[in-house]
Amino acid sequence: MTFNLNGKKAFITGSTSGIGLYVAQKLEQYGCEVAINARTIKSIDNVRNLFKKSVYGIAADMTSEIESKKAIQEFLEKFQALDILVCNVGSGRSVSPLNETIIDWKKSLDLNLFAATNPISASINALEKSSGAVTCISSICGEKIIANAPLTYSVAKAALNRYVVNASYYLAKK
């Protein structure tokens, strides 16, 4: 399957490994101007050679509302528009079920929910101007019980899934 996304400007969070890296490479292949993201510039520099063209990197922690806003602002200063936002930051690492502490819950919600809601909130005006699209990477753990999956991860992904459904009602009007 091929898509023609020539000239579209895409920002992919958590995109220096795994699903995020693959999505960034595919969007570049389909003609997008791509910016990748990680918490450190070193992580970004380590994967630049995996792209056909020069790729722009934005070092920012998407679990931080302030850093997410700065990252979106940096993207807009560089590309002048945002057409595609892919929220990919996440981690299924946590303690085994029923051994969670409040710290485990907060860490999982930061990584698996707020790392998506932060850049989306920061991007609403830009996405409205471009009639852009948002994609959030989630997990089947947010939809059904998977044996031994961390509760913190499963609950955070369920919250992300509900956020996407509910927010799309409002965002679609924009």
Side-chain angles (χ1 to χ4, degrees):
M1 177 184 292
T2 60
F3 298 99
N4 181 354
L5 297 174
N6 285 330
K8 296 290 184 185
K9 288 126 175 96
F11 183 40
I12 304 91
T13 69
S15 48
T16 58
S17 65
I19 293 169
L21 177 59
Y22 182 79
V23 168
Q25 290 171 314
K26 277 299 184 185
L27 287 174
E28 179 196 48
Q29 179 183 336
Y30 295 147
C32 286
E33 296 178 45
V34 171
I36 59 174
N37 161 255
R39 288 180 300 222
T40 67
I41 197 69
K42 182 180 179 188
S43 294
I44 292 167
D45 288 342
N46 287 341
V47 300
R48 286 186 195 274
N49 65 328
L50 301 176
F51 291 85
K52 294 178 182 165
K53 297 183 260 174
S54 177
V55 66
Y56 191 74
I58 299 174
D61 181 350
M62 293 296 137
T63 66
S64 164
E65 182 181 15
I66 292 168
E67 287 193 39
S68 293
K69 286 179 181 179
K70 286 180 182 176
I72 296 302
Q73 186 59 42
E74 181 178 342
F75 182 93
L76 292 170
E77 288 171 7
K78 169 70 175 169
F79 294 98
Q80 304 305 305
L82 175 61
D83 299 301
I84 300 167
L85 174 63
V86 179
C87 299
N88 178 64
V89 173
S91 174
R93 293 188 193 116
S94 188
V95 298
S96 59
L98 304 180
N99 290 302
E100 306 85 6
T101 66
I102 191 68
I103 293 167
D104 299 317
W105 283 103
K106 287 180 178 183
K107 181 178 179 182
S108 190
L109 287 168
D110 279 346
L111 284 170
N112 296 296
L113 176 62
F114 298 124
T117 62
N118 288 336
I120 291 169
S121 293
S123 300
I124 291 172
N125 291 336
L127 290 165
E128 183 177 11
K129 288 177 186 172
S130 68
S131 296
V134 178
T135 298
C136 294
I137 306 300
S138 188
S139 169
I140 191 66
C141 292
E143 297 294 322
K144 66 181 193 173
I145 295 173
I146 303 294
N148 298 315
L151 286 176
T152 57
Y153 178 70
S154 300
V155 169
K157 288 301 186 179
L160 176 62
N161 295 348
R162 182 78 301 186
Y163 169 80
V164 168
V165 170
N166 290 15
S168 66
Y169 172 82
Y170 301 102
L171 293 173
K173 295 175 182 182
K174 295 180 169 282

